[in-house]
Amino acid sequence: MNLKTIRSICLSCLALLIIFYPPKIYARSHEWIAVPKSQYGEQLWDKNSVQKNQAGFIRVLSKFIPTSTTEITQDILYTMNINCSEKSFIDIAVGAKEFNEFKNKDSEWKDANGDELILGVIDQVCGFMKSY
């Protein structure tokens, strides 16, 4: 075998490895912080995802884990903006398997309306940003 043949075989093997085992690029891992549970389930927010956007609002990844999970009631993943001064929020996108699967077309700011889980996320995230 000559050098050209060996190189061709090696490159083919490398191409097959890349196709069948694509490299995964991982962002910073999640650091989930739980708010007090409610009768409906548990809400967590990701400390590593918190960032202030250009409009001055806080963007964070959040996850709702229902008390009982079935095929219908699964974990729900949210990307949300928080307005700390108004204690309001917008769900930018939602997903079941990964973040941002479905963009939210309803882009109105919402009041938490006494929802303990959402209020917990708002209070903790806003407190975290004040101390940050």
Side-chain angles (χ1 to χ4, degrees):
M1 277 196 193
N2 63 23
L3 186 61
K4 196 172 188 179
T5 305
I6 293 171
R7 190 166 62 184
S8 177
I9 291 170
C10 288
L11 287 175
S12 297
C13 289
L14 180 62
L16 287 172
L17 279 172
I18 291 172
I19 290 169
F20 290 108
Y21 296 104
K24 292 186 178 184
I25 299 172
Y26 294 99
R28 283 194 307 192
S29 61
H30 298 290
E31 187 175 337
W32 295 111
I33 309 293
V35 302
K37 294 180 182 181
S38 78
Q39 64 184 6
Y40 303 107
E42 185 176 8
Q43 189 84 26
L44 305 128
W45 57 277
D46 178 21
K47 184 177 177 180
N48 291 335
S49 71
V50 177
Q51 56 184 307
K52 206 169 230 184
N53 64 21
Q54 293 173 343
F57 304 118
I58 299 170
R59 181 159 292 179
V60 66
L61 301 179
S62 179
K63 174 170 42 174
F64 173 69
I65 304 168
T67 302
S68 62
T69 56
T70 65
E71 284 187 31
I72 297 171
T73 59
Q74 301 175 3
D75 295 2
I76 303 171
L77 307 169
Y78 298 95
T79 301
M80 61 191 299
N81 280 352
I82 297 173
N83 180 337
C84 292
S85 63
E86 301 286 327
K87 288 203 172 219
S88 57
F89 70 99
I90 295 176
D91 289 328
I92 302 300
V94 297
K97 295 182 180 164
E98 61 187 59
F99 285 97
N100 302 324
E101 284 181 90
F102 307 100
K103 300 291 181 188
N104 188 5
K105 299 193 189 317
D106 177 20
S107 60
E108 288 184 29
W109 286 97
K110 297 176 185 163
D111 183 72
N113 289 326
D115 184 317
E116 298 168 13
L117 298 174
I118 294 174
L119 284 171
V121 170
I122 292 171
D123 289 342
Q124 285 186 12
V125 170
C126 292
F128 171 73
M129 285 304 287
K130 282 182 184 176
S131 67
Y132 186 65

